[in-house]
Amino acid sequence: MTTPNASTPTTREPATGARATAPKSGRDSGAPSAADPETARAAAAAIADATLWIELLLRQFPELLVELAPSYRSPSAPRATPAGAPSAPAGPTRAEREEALRAEQAHGLTPSGSRTSPVRLHISDAVRDITDGVIELDEAVHDRLRLPRPRREQVAGRLLRVAGLLDRAADDDVLLEHIRDEVRRMARRCTRALGGAEPVVRVSGRCPWCDSVSLRAFPARRAVLCVNPACRCTDRACDCRTDPAHRHAWSEGAWVRLAAESGADPAELAASAADTARREGGR
């Protein structure tokens, strides 16, 4: 019989790109009271955002599994030939094979034709990272909430189980933030692996350097960039002076100054750069 684990989850230092376990400290109990409406609104917003990230991950992860499977046709399988079409030769002749081998050895050229597609490593890495991350998150949430160890389940089942515990996690603001951050991280990686474009949000105001209405927020980076190709700043340490592909960027700590210099609304600027599932899911 499984008994509840009453211990506080330990925290290990993650390597680059690795997942973090549930936070160690924070408010363990006590739902937001009616006397603190701001805290209640923040918790409700975090729950809503985490739910949308989970829904996005539930939609996209199966697509990632489809992308993982290499296309394969057995050499012994008959080729599909349309009715009335002349039959294709069974394969290249010996002379053609020898010529293709010489071309590959001399120039590194590979002949075209039906081949077994290799597994794409970036897809495989993303599947493994997301699978491990969902398992760790599911177990950490149960441990943090002092629930029995969760039963084994597929990724979708574990995500649905975590989503069902969001209301209980609202009693712990640190845990709730951790859940939202983790499902957001995994959903963003899934989107990138599938070739999805990075979301971009237009920002009001004019660039302090080129005076054009070319400021754009990149929520996934938590940064604002000027997308004008001709824009160059006066900061000698900025690569936009020497690299035509580089764009001057303002990190989160420079947004107040950017708002003052560009005429943008600081609140609108922060909202534009917020990496929310509502914006991602609506694309």
Side-chain angles (χ1 to χ4, degrees), residues 21-235:
T21 56
K24 189 174 181 180
S25 60
R27 178 165 51 85
D28 290 331
S29 61
S33 63
D36 191 4
E38 187 63 31
T39 301
R41 282 195 297 269
I47 290 175
D49 204 34
T51 300
L52 290 174
W53 283 118
I54 290 174
E55 291 176 353
L56 181 62
L57 191 54
L58 284 169
R59 290 200 309 269
Q60 291 189 335
F61 188 72
E63 298 178 22
L64 201 63
L65 296 178
V66 172
E67 292 291 326
L68 176 65
S71 60
Y72 176 78
R73 185 184 62 82
S74 172
S76 61
R79 294 175 179 269
T81 304
S87 59
T93 64
R94 179 177 178 179
E96 290 172 337
R97 290 197 299 269
E98 291 175 349
E99 182 182 357
L101 178 60
R102 286 194 299 271
E104 185 171 3
Q105 290 174 339
H107 308 289
L109 300 176
T110 302
S112 60
S114 300
R115 300 175 62 88
T116 300
S117 301
V119 174
R120 287 173 289 175
L121 292 180
H122 75 286
I123 297 290
S124 176
D125 289 345
V127 170
R128 184 174 62 252
D129 173 53
I130 293 170
T131 300
D132 292 346
V134 170
I135 292 174
E136 291 181 7
L137 180 63
D138 186 25
E139 292 179 348
V141 169
H142 280 72
D143 193 16
R144 180 76 172 185
L145 295 177
R146 294 170 172 79
L147 297 173
R149 186 180 180 87
R151 299 185 307 275
R152 289 189 178 185
E153 185 60 83
Q154 298 296 322
V155 168
R158 289 182 181 271
L159 285 172
L160 291 173
R161 191 155 57 199
V162 171
L165 293 173
L166 286 175
D167 286 338
R168 293 187 62 171
D171 294 344
D172 186 337
D173 51 357
V174 177
L175 175 61
L176 183 58
E177 181 179 356
H178 174 74
I179 295 173
R180 182 195 59 197
D181 291 347
E182 276 295 282
V183 294
R184 176 173 59 191
R185 179 191 69 80
M186 291 184 285
R188 299 279 323 147
R189 173 149 196 189
C190 190
T191 300
R192 290 196 305 270
L194 290 171
E198 182 178 2
V200 181
V201 182
R202 183 171 181 172
V203 177
S204 62
R206 292 184 174 272
C207 173
W209 301 115
C210 64
D211 200 38
S212 64
V213 286
S214 53
L215 295 177
R216 301 293 184 270
F218 290 76
R221 308 185 203 180
R222 297 292 296 171
V224 175
L225 279 69
C226 176
V227 297
N228 178 13
C231 181
R232 299 291 183 269
C233 71
T234 58
D235 184 0

